[in-house]
Amino acid sequence: MAVSLLSHELSDLCLGKPALRSLSITSTIAEALEVLKTSDDNFVSIWNCDDDECCSRCVGKVCIVDVICYLCKDENLVSPSIALKQPVSVLLPKIPGLIIHVEPSCSLLEAIDLILEGAQNLVVPIKTKVFNNKRSKEQRKPFCWLTQEDIIRFLLSSIGLFSPISSFSIDTLNIISPNTLTIEYHSPASAAIGAISRALVEQTSVAVVDSERTLIGEISPFTLACCDETVAAALKTLSSMDLMAYIDCGGPPEELVKVVSAKLKEKNMNGMLQHFTISMSCGGFSSSSSSDEEYSSSSMAVQVSPFPRPGRISRSMSYSARMVRRSEAIVCHPKSSLVAVMIQAIAHRVNYVWVIEEDCSLVGIVTFSDMLKVVRESFETMA
């Protein structure tokens, strides 16, 4: 039965998946922001957009966290409007194999192997009926993509087939990774920028701990992806503990907004200060303003409330999308079963679960990739 499950084609998992929203690799960061702010998905796919449809390929993906980390560079904080005019290609990680094109006939087993080799998104053509065998140039073949979450969710619906492995503890299965990204709560949040970028690529998070490695919370790319890009100002000026409070759903506390404004002014980061002030006062951010000194309401191509973004919460979301959630870390214990941790991660729409002891000391992390490795190994024992 498990062999039959793993032989499913990816077209079975694509049913009901929405077509990807895409951008050309020559688009600007500002244009990517406009798409992200009106999308149900936290990512937008980037394409080389060759005139020949057969040669057009997805070359990467971008989310607001990429923009936030990019804007955290000092030169970009001084002049964010210039930074946002740069091509979106500067945001793409230089890591091959994160995005893989596959055919709808690709088996679930083959998809799991690709993910274990490092793929994050599998781009799949959506089967559509084409009447009269005609398709205009504007009507490119639609694609969707599958994520680790999509595959875990599909496997979870038949997890009983992998018994007794599914009932074993994550400690017994030896899938708890001690290699975690951490920062102490009193440290400047800016010290975590590199870790946040890495966590985004690895689809994990940055644990906020005290000096004894007690888990206090997290700075999660999945939470940051639901913020406005001006959170870069908070990331550069607040402590890690204050940043968690700032990005928590419900909006930043007024006193922290004042702290951020004061520190931006103190550091002469006038460009970001202006954008930040506009965002806080008008509920939007002008990603297409022509200069750091000029602003008019007519230039506000997209106005989005930064914390949280209601338009992205109220719409129905695909399995690959993320919900706005709090900075409270999702945790389990070493003796938690594999199936319990899978359900926990799916329920909270994250790709990982922190592992802690009874005293809340951080043990490590379990990821979807770790879980898929166990499924793949269990299949080998059944074959």
Side-chain angles (χ1 to χ4, degrees):
M1 290 292 290
V3 174
S4 175
L5 174 69
L6 291 171
S7 65
H8 271 276
E9 294 185 351
L10 291 191
S11 57
D12 298 330
L13 281 69
C14 293
L15 295 174
K17 294 282 289 183
L20 289 177
R21 296 192 68 175
S22 60
L23 273 180
S24 166
I25 196 169
T26 59
S27 301
T28 65
I29 298 174
E31 290 169 332
L33 276 174
E34 291 185 12
V35 172
L36 287 166
K37 290 180 177 182
T38 56
S39 173
D40 286 337
D41 202 336
N42 284 339
F43 289 90
V44 59
S45 60
I46 308 301
W47 294 68
N48 62 8
C49 291
D50 195 290
D51 289 335
D52 183 354
E53 183 178 301
C54 295
C55 297
S56 184
R57 308 282 292 180
C58 179
V59 295
K61 60 179 181 176
V62 167
C63 76
I64 283 191
V65 185
D66 293 300
V67 182
I68 290 171
C69 292
Y70 180 69
L71 288 178
C72 280
K73 296 179 180 179
D74 289 342
E75 63 271 24
N76 294 336
L77 283 170
V78 171
S79 185
S81 64
I82 293 177
L84 292 175
K85 292 176 182 177
Q86 297 303 305
V88 72
S89 58
V90 303
L91 302 179
L92 299 179
K94 305 298 187 291
I95 302 174
L98 294 180
I99 308 291
I100 300 290
H101 279 254
V102 296
E103 292 300 320
S105 58
C106 176
S107 71
L108 179 59
L109 181 59
E110 291 171 326
I112 291 174
D113 286 339
L114 287 172
I115 287 175
L116 292 179
E117 290 170 4
Q120 291 184 358
N121 296 73
L122 304 179
V123 180
V124 188
I126 297 176
K127 294 181 178 180
T128 58
K129 294 181 179 179
V130 180
F131 297 99
N132 300 323
N133 295 319
K134 293 181 179 179
R135 185 193 299 271
S136 68
K137 282 190 175 181
E138 291 74 18
Q139 293 177 306
R140 289 181 178 272
K141 181 190 299 183
F143 291 83
C144 68
W145 58 25
L146 295 174
T147 65
Q148 294 179 11
E149 180 185 349
D150 293 316
I151 292 176
I152 288 288
R153 185 183 293 275
F154 186 79
L155 292 173
L156 192 56
S157 65
S158 303
I159 196 64
L161 298 177
F162 297 94
S163 181
I165 297 295
S166 58
S167 62
F168 289 176
S169 73
I170 56 175
D171 189 20
T172 300
L173 293 171
N174 195 30
I175 59 172
I176 304 172
S177 172
N179 300 319
T180 56
L181 300 169
T182 61
I183 188 169
E184 291 198 5
Y185 72 95
H186 56 75
S187 298
S190 58
I193 294 173
I196 292 170
S197 295
R198 181 178 166 186
L200 179 62
V201 171
E202 297 178 354
Q203 301 187 26
T204 57
S205 184
V206 181
V208 179
V209 299
D210 64 12
S211 57
E212 298 180 347
R213 279 184 63 84
T214 299
L215 183 63
I216 296 173
E218 65 175 356
I219 302 174
S220 167
F222 303 111
T223 302
L224 287 171
C226 298
C227 297
D228 187 271
E229 69 277 9
T230 54
V231 78
L235 189 52
K236 287 289 287 187
T237 56
L238 298 177
S239 68
S240 296
M241 181 68 89
D242 284 343
L243 180 66
M244 286 196 298
Y246 190 94
I247 65 177
D248 233 350
C249 61
E254 184 178 349
E255 59 270 23
L256 289 182
V257 173
K258 293 179 179 178
V259 169
V260 173
S261 296
K263 289 189 176 182
L264 288 174
K265 185 175 182 179
E266 178 184 317
K267 295 181 179 182
N268 293 319
M269 295 179 175
N270 296 323
M272 179 54 77
L273 175 61
Q274 183 180 36
H275 282 305
F276 181 79
T277 302
I278 291 168
S279 181
M280 292 297 105
S281 62
C282 301
F285 182 92
S286 175
S287 61
S288 58
S289 57
S290 58
S291 71
D292 292 334
E293 291 75 27
E294 296 175 0
Y295 166 75
S296 68
S297 59
S298 62
S299 69
M300 295 288 285
V302 178
Q303 294 191 358
V304 182
S305 179
F307 307 101
R309 304 209 321 242
R312 297 180 61 174
I313 302 171
S314 61
R315 300 175 183 173
S316 61
M317 302 178 76
S318 68
Y319 285 162
S320 298
R322 297 282 181 217
M323 297 182 296
V324 174
R325 60 185 188 83
R326 303 181 66 85
S327 297
E328 181 179 354
I330 309 304
V331 301
C332 67
H333 298 284
K335 297 305 178 184
S336 298
S337 68
L338 173 63
V339 65
V341 176
M342 290 173 74
I343 292 172
Q344 195 175 7
I346 288 291
H348 291 281
R349 311 299 291 275
V350 291
N351 287 40
Y352 60 90
V353 177
W354 297 108
V355 185
I356 60 172
E357 296 287 7
E358 293 297 330
D359 61 357
C360 293
S361 59
L362 182 62
V363 176
I365 192 171
V366 176
T367 66
F368 276 159
S369 182
D370 299 321
M371 301 176 200
L372 287 173
K373 184 177 180 181
V374 169
V375 171
R376 183 66 177 87
E377 291 173 350
S378 68
F379 168 72
E380 289 179 352
T381 64
M382 298 174 193

